[in-house]
Amino acid sequence: MSTGIVFHALAALAYALPGVALWRTLLRGGTVSAGKAGRWALGAALLLQALALQQAVLGGAGLQLNWVLALSAAVWLGMAVFWLESLLVRTDGLQLLLLPLAALCTALAALFPGASDIPHADNPWLRLHLLIALAAYGLITVAALHSVLMAFLDRHLHRPMEPITEDRKGLGNVIDRVLDSMPPLLVQEQILFRLIWVGFVALTLAVGSGSLISLSLTGQVLPFDHKTVFTLLSWITFGVLLLGRHIRGWRGRVALRWTLAGFAFLLLAYTGTRFVLEVVLQRN
């Protein structure tokens, strides 16, 4: 059994235990509060997951990766930003959703450890570029998911009052209490833009390092392919969003739409190869 599997399993347990404690408190009618012990527990889980990723992804001479390791890396980045944010503002309610999700993703990484070597990743500069690109993709994915959660919470806050029925007393009541325990939307908006800022910086570094590598290998600063085009569209989208936030105070639904649009471009850049070739360009 590899060290990466062991550390991922320990990280899953470290995420799951405080998550179970918070859900038991909620179901018993108590106030959800992680406290200092919860922050220390989350920090320990992040450390274990970081060790797991280091062993699983960077344990060899090159770079080993599969979909569960990429998912684990994205979750780790998002949880790290959340943990840093929790040192400044109270975000305990979010842990009701984040801790089970992190436990599931790290458990999957322990259960499906088979990773493939990334071609040419023994080159240190290319490996650095790939790691930066993975960080950018992961952070922006987490930001997009967070924006979806914010949109759901916004609808919950503005929905008309529903009559209390037997269903509402059961599962519906639990859902309402989970949503009511979430931090205010203004706090969540701060977290969202923190994720976007860090993701935008990582995406900028990914574009810059990719340009230098492309120039050294092919003599072209930026190859004109669908991946480059959609990545640049995503970079421009997030740049406009952050500029609009700074100059015109964009927030709320406007910010959520721009976030999802930028994520969609990045999704097409990294996972839409077959779609673009076969559907858009009609190539086999």
Side-chain angles (χ1 to χ4, degrees):
M1 182 180 295
S2 71
T3 309
I5 297 174
V6 173
F7 278 123
H8 264 121
L10 291 174
L13 185 63
Y15 283 125
L17 290 177
V20 169
L22 288 178
W23 272 97
R24 287 183 65 185
T25 301
L26 177 80
L27 295 175
R28 290 178 177 179
T31 301
V32 175
S33 177
K36 288 185 178 180
R39 286 193 288 272
W40 278 104
L42 180 55
L46 285 168
L47 178 60
L48 288 169
Q49 191 179 3
L51 291 171
L53 288 168
Q54 191 276 330
Q55 290 295 316
V57 178
L58 300 173
L63 195 70
Q64 293 80 41
L65 206 61
N66 61 7
W67 69 272
V68 287
L69 289 177
L71 181 63
S72 177
V75 167
W76 183 86
L77 289 165
M79 293 297 289
V81 173
F82 163 77
W83 181 74
L84 292 173
E85 199 70 32
S86 70
L87 301 177
L88 304 175
V89 295
R90 184 171 177 176
T91 56
D92 298 331
L94 280 171
Q95 295 194 39
L96 288 168
L97 301 179
L98 294 178
L99 289 175
L101 175 63
L104 175 62
C105 293
T106 47
L108 286 174
L111 291 172
F112 301 99
S116 303
D117 289 328
I118 303 299
H120 312 298
D122 53 339
N123 183 314
W125 293 107
L126 181 58
R127 179 165 54 177
L128 179 62
H129 164 70
L130 292 173
L131 289 173
I132 294 172
L134 178 62
Y137 185 75
L139 285 165
I140 290 172
T141 300
V142 172
L145 293 174
H146 189 70
S147 68
V148 171
L149 173 62
M150 287 179 59
F152 189 71
L153 288 172
D154 183 63
R155 290 186 60 186
H156 171 72
L157 291 173
H158 292 90
R159 69 188 175 109
M161 293 295 294
E162 297 180 7
I164 299 177
T165 62
E166 290 300 321
D167 291 338
R168 299 301 301 170
K169 291 179 182 178
L171 179 60
N173 183 48
V174 172
I175 294 173
D176 286 344
R177 290 177 60 195
V178 170
L179 295 176
D180 290 339
S181 69
M182 294 291 156
L185 280 175
L186 286 177
V187 173
Q188 298 213 43
E189 191 172 77
Q190 291 177 358
I191 298 174
L192 174 65
F193 274 95
R194 202 90 66 189
L195 287 166
I196 292 173
W197 263 113
V198 180
F200 179 73
V201 171
L203 189 59
T204 302
L205 292 174
V207 172
S209 60
S211 300
L212 293 176
I213 292 173
S214 177
L215 183 63
S216 64
L217 294 178
T218 66
Q220 293 180 301
V221 176
L222 288 173
F224 189 74
D225 54 25
H226 93 277
K227 187 173 183 179
T228 302
V229 170
F230 282 119
T231 300
L232 288 176
L233 285 174
S234 178
W235 181 79
I236 291 170
T237 300
F238 284 111
V240 171
L241 170 58
L242 292 172
L243 195 62
R245 168 79 168 182
H246 179 70
I247 295 176
R248 306 195 63 177
W250 286 357
R251 48 175 303 199
R253 295 180 181 179
V254 174
L256 299 184
R257 292 192 192 103
W258 279 84
T259 301
L260 293 177
F263 171 70
F265 284 134
L266 201 62
L267 191 66
L268 286 173
Y270 284 91
T271 64
T273 304
R274 298 307 300 174
F275 174 82
V276 171
L277 290 177
E278 296 178 4
V279 178
V280 179
L281 300 180
Q282 297 294 314
R283 295 179 186 174
N284 297 320

